């Protein structure tokens, strides 16, 4: 039976879910608070420069392919994809870096160059990572998190020890070189937790990194948003922007309407891809399934201080993706998770998409995106942002042996306050809930409300978790639950 479905938000998960729901014959309308769609994956343009405001890494291309195949399409129908070589560069000090290239063979050579015998250990580690990838990404993550039994299969029972060990322990059991350890622990940062708190099973992220590689969609990640938007509209989805959802109305225990910009809109089903905590505040208190205490005790992924910078020159000695691990990773992670505060010496990441894609900056200039991971909920004022821009510019110039600050045409910052203002993000987190053992699968907030019929959730605070590929999967999972509910 055809349903009138309202979707709150237009990030990856909301757009994906809308496509599936429209394909099933429903009338689907997206209500987006901001002027443009995309959620955290919005785009910023200025003076001929184009920046992805959120995700900049395109990993797990098979997940994107599987999504589009569900509609008889391919990513190439909507955007052009290029595999990066090198995938990224990791700096450990001035003129001290390791380059991660585009094949496992080349990466093994880089490891061997750093530490004799490490390539043999890496191949063994990657065999396990591939095995985990096949179990997780091709099967487990496509389960909706409604029961612990979803995790109980013949293959996962053989892996049970990996759920109770950690990435950090497994890596350090095989590797002693601190640089190689840092590189192997890096991919799980996308899951929002410390490697020492992330189950070893999540080594499948290393396969995503070394086995599948890093890609760049021409014109940036926003071209993927544009592609899914085009697909959604072809399927009949209506997308409305500047639509602030103020309340979710409940009648007889069922979600019945949205109040949007003061207007009541009656619907059959409500799906929220907005911040989960915020969405529940749109309900009367007795209809909220998670208390403030519940959210306060959860481990959230970091927030971030971002800078979008236009440079009046080409930047040297960097790659499209460049990581700066020249300071103590353990100390910075403690300042995010254990004793939340502004970090003394932060690790940071820099992206220069114009190294690959000439469409994102004027000729002879460079578009730069800088990201510092932070604890959510910190005080965020302009003076602190400026202080940290100075910090990373000084280190950047020293490490890469060049002047860049005097070539800044403009810079725009984005931090905790902006995440709250633009996305109603809980404490200004950037990535959702961390994938720790106690926040995995059925232990995450549910896709379906336990208190209000016909109310559903999707996105990075529910299953499967943070990241763009999981967001696409989350959209598929919740659409499946909604369709199942219709039949009952």
């Amino acid at each position: 039976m055809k349903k009138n479905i309202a979707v709150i938000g237009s990030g990856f998960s909301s757009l994906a879910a809308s496509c599936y729901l429209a394909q099933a014959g429903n009338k689907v309308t997206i209500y987006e608070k901001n002027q443009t769609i995309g959620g955290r994956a919005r785009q910023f343009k200025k003076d001929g420069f184009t920046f992805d405001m959120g995700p900049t890494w395109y990993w797990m291309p098979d997940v994107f392919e599987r999504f589009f195949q569900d509609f008889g399409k391919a990513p190439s129908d909507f955007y052009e994809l290029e595999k990066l070589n090198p995938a990224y560069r990791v700096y450990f000090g001035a003129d001290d870096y390791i380059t991660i290239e585009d094949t496992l063979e080349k990466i093994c050579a880089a490891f061997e160059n750093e530490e004799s015998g490490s390539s043999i250990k890496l191949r063994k580690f990657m065999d396990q990572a591939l095995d985990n990838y096949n179990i997780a990404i091709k099967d487990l993550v496509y389960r909706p998190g409604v029961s612990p039994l979803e995790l109980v299969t013949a293959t996962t029972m053989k892996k049970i020890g990996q759920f109770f060990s950690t990435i950090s322990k497994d890596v350090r059991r095989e590797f002693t070189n601190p640089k190689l350890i840092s590189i192997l622990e890096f991919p799980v940062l996308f899951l929002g937790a410390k490697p020492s708190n992330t189950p070893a099973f999540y080594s499948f992220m290393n396969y995503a990194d070394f086995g599948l590689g890093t890609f760049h969609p021409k014109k940036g990640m926003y071209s993927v948003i544009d592609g899914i938007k085009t697909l959604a509209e072809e399927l009949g989805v209506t997308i409305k922007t500047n639509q602030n959802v103020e309340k979710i109305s409940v009648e007889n225990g069922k979600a019945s309407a949205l109040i949007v910009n003061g207007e009541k809109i009656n619907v059959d089903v409500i799906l929220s891809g907005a911040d989960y905590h915020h969405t529940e505040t749109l309900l009367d208190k007795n209809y909220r399934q998670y208390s403030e205490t519940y959210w306060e005790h959860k481990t959230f992924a970091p927030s971030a201080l971002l800078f979008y910078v236009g440079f009046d020159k080409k930047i040297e000695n960097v790659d499209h993706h460049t990581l700066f691990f020249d300071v103590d990773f353990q100390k910075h992670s403690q300042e995010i998770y254990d004793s939340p505060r502004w970090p003394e010496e932060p690790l940071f990441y820099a992206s220069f998409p114009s190294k690959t894609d000439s469409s994102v900056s004027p000729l002879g200039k460079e578009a730069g995106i800088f990201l510092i991971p932070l604890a959510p909920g910190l005080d965020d004022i302009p003076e602190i942002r400026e202080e940290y821009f100075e910090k990373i510019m000084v280190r950047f110039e020293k490490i890469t042996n060049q002047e860049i600050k005097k070539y800044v045409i403009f810079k725009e910052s984005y931090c905790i306050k902006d995440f709250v203002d633009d996305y109603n993000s809980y404490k200004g987190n950037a990535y959702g809930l961390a994938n720790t053992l106690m926040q995995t699968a059925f232990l995450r907030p549910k896709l379906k409300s336990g208190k209000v019929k016909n109310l559903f959730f999707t996105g990075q605070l529910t299953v499967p978790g943070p990241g763009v590929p999981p967001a696409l999967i989350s959209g598929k999972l919740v659409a499946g639950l909604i369709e199942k509910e219709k039949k009952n």
Side-chain angles (χ1 to χ4, degrees):
M1 185 174 68
K2 184 176 181 179
K3 295 282 188 181
N4 181 11
I5 300 176
V7 179
I8 305 172
S10 63
F12 276 107
S13 57
S14 291
L15 287 171
S18 298
C19 290
Y20 287 108
L21 292 168
Q23 184 187 47
N26 298 292
K27 179 187 176 185
V28 182
T29 305
I30 291 174
Y31 297 91
E32 167 56 52
K33 169 181 179 282
N34 295 307
Q35 289 184 351
T36 58
I37 68 164
R40 285 166 168 79
R42 290 184 301 158
Q43 193 178 62
F44 168 60
K45 292 186 175 184
K46 184 172 181 176
D47 297 346
F49 293 84
T50 302
F51 304 89
D52 283 316
M53 293 183 68
T56 55
W57 295 76
Y58 190 107
W59 274 8
M60 302 184 188
D62 50 325
V63 174
F64 293 85
E65 288 162 10
R66 185 167 171 176
F67 168 75
F68 284 109
Q69 282 169 4
D70 284 342
F71 304 93
K73 304 283 188 178
S76 58
D77 293 327
F78 300 97
Y79 53 89
E80 184 181 333
L81 208 56
E82 177 180 350
K83 189 172 187 181
L84 296 182
N85 187 33
Y88 55 92
R89 180 187 305 206
V90 186
Y91 270 106
F92 299 96
D95 299 320
D96 179 10
Y97 63 89
I98 294 175
T99 300
I100 302 300
E101 295 190 70
D102 62 340
T103 68
L104 183 56
E105 285 296 322
K106 294 174 185 175
I107 296 166
C108 282
F111 269 53
E112 195 66 27
N113 186 56
E114 188 65 31
E115 181 181 293
S116 179
S118 61
S119 63
I120 298 169
K121 296 176 183 178
L122 178 61
R123 289 184 188 281
K124 177 185 171 187
F125 183 80
M126 289 302 296
D127 284 344
Q128 181 169 279
L130 169 58
D131 195 31
N132 289 351
Y133 191 90
N134 286 332
I135 295 168
I137 304 303
K138 296 183 179 178
D139 182 17
L140 289 186
V141 295
Y142 285 92
R143 301 185 182 199
V146 297
S147 165
L149 294 178
E150 292 173 4
L151 295 179
V152 181
T153 69
T155 48
T156 57
M157 292 312 293
K158 294 176 184 176
K159 300 277 186 178
I160 193 69
Q162 290 188 47
F163 285 94
F164 295 97
S165 183
T166 67
I167 285 287
S168 188
K169 285 180 183 175
D170 273 25
V171 167
R172 290 160 195 270
R173 191 178 295 126
E174 297 293 335
F175 299 88
T176 57
N177 184 291
K179 296 177 187 177
L180 302 185
I181 288 171
S182 293
I183 290 172
L184 287 168
E185 289 183 340
F186 152 67
V188 300
L189 298 180
F190 286 102
L191 302 173
K194 293 193 296 186
S196 59
N197 283 344
T198 303
F201 182 71
Y202 283 98
S203 67
F204 62 74
M205 292 295 292
N206 294 98
Y207 179 73
D209 181 2
F210 290 177
L212 295 174
T214 303
F215 295 77
H216 174 73
K218 190 170 183 182
K219 297 184 181 178
M221 288 293 287
Y222 197 75
S223 65
V224 186
I225 289 288
D226 263 341
I228 303 175
K229 172 184 181 248
T230 299
L231 173 62
E233 290 179 333
E234 287 175 0
L235 291 164
V237 176
T238 300
I239 300 174
K240 297 183 177 182
T241 56
N242 296 308
Q243 304 289 305
N244 185 38
V245 176
E246 297 158 349
K247 186 173 177 61
I248 296 172
S249 296
V250 179
E251 292 181 14
N252 301 318
K254 294 182 180 180
S256 60
L258 292 180
I259 308 300
V260 183
N261 295 340
E263 177 188 356
K264 185 176 183 179
I265 300 168
N266 293 313
V267 295
D268 300 316
V269 176
I270 294 172
L271 167 61
S272 179
D275 178 272
Y276 204 123
H277 168 268
H278 169 73
T279 302
E280 288 219 310
T281 68
L282 302 177
L283 294 160
D284 290 337
K285 203 165 187 178
N286 57 311
Y287 292 124
R288 300 172 193 173
Q289 56 186 344
Y290 300 111
S291 67
E292 288 298 320
T293 302
Y294 172 90
W295 294 112
E296 286 167 8
H297 285 85
K298 287 296 173 185
T299 301
F300 274 81
S303 186
L305 170 55
L306 291 130
F307 296 99
Y308 311 106
V309 188
F311 291 100
D312 195 20
K313 63 170 275 189
K314 301 303 287 184
I315 308 298
E316 300 172 354
N317 305 327
V318 292
D319 292 317
H320 182 129
H321 297 297
T322 305
L323 303 165
F324 292 82
F325 284 9
D326 55 305
V327 296
D328 187 349
F329 172 80
Q330 295 299 327
K331 187 170 187 299
H332 187 178
S333 65
Q334 287 169 2
E335 291 165 330
I336 294 173
Y337 295 101
D338 303 326
S339 304
R341 60 186 180 274
W342 282 89
E344 286 185 28
E345 291 295 338
L347 286 79
F348 67 96
Y349 154 68
S351 173
F352 300 95
S354 44
K355 291 285 177 194
T356 302
D357 189 343
S358 61
S359 72
V360 302
S361 73
L363 185 66
K365 304 183 190 303
E366 203 88 86
I369 302 167
F370 298 83
L371 183 152
I372 301 171
L374 299 172
L378 300 178
D379 287 337
D380 170 21
I381 58 174
E383 291 79 7
I384 294 180
R385 297 188 189 193
E386 192 62 31
E387 175 189 340
Y388 277 81
F389 185 72
E390 292 293 327
K391 274 181 185 273
I392 63 174
M393 286 297 103
V394 168
R395 278 171 47 204
F396 186 99
E397 291 185 335
K398 180 180 178 183
I399 290 167
T400 64
N401 193 30
Q402 65 190 307
E403 284 188 302
I404 65 164
K405 191 168 176 245
K406 71 179 185 180
Y407 294 100
V408 171
I409 303 169
F410 67 83
K411 73 173 188 295
E412 299 286 343
S413 64
Y414 200 93
C415 199
I416 293 167
K417 185 178 183 299
D418 302 300
F419 282 103
V420 173
D421 291 345
D422 290 350
Y423 312 125
N424 297 304
S425 172
Y426 183 76
K427 293 187 177 181
N429 80 82
Y431 307 109
L433 278 179
N435 270 119
T436 62
L437 177 61
M438 298 308 294
Q439 295 181 175
T440 292
F442 67 95
L443 296 172
R444 297 179 71 80
K446 303 301 183 187
L447 291 166
K448 177 184 173 183
S449 171
K451 288 196 171 184
V452 180
K453 192 172 174 59
N454 297 338
L455 175 61
F456 297 83
F457 301 84
T458 188
Q460 58 190 6
L461 277 92
T462 183
V463 292
V468 176
L472 294 178
I473 295 167
S474 186
K476 179 173 184 173
L477 293 176
V478 75
L481 284 184
I482 292 170
E483 287 305 298
K484 183 179 178 181
E485 185 90 353
K486 280 167 54 179
K487 295 172 184 174
N488 292 337

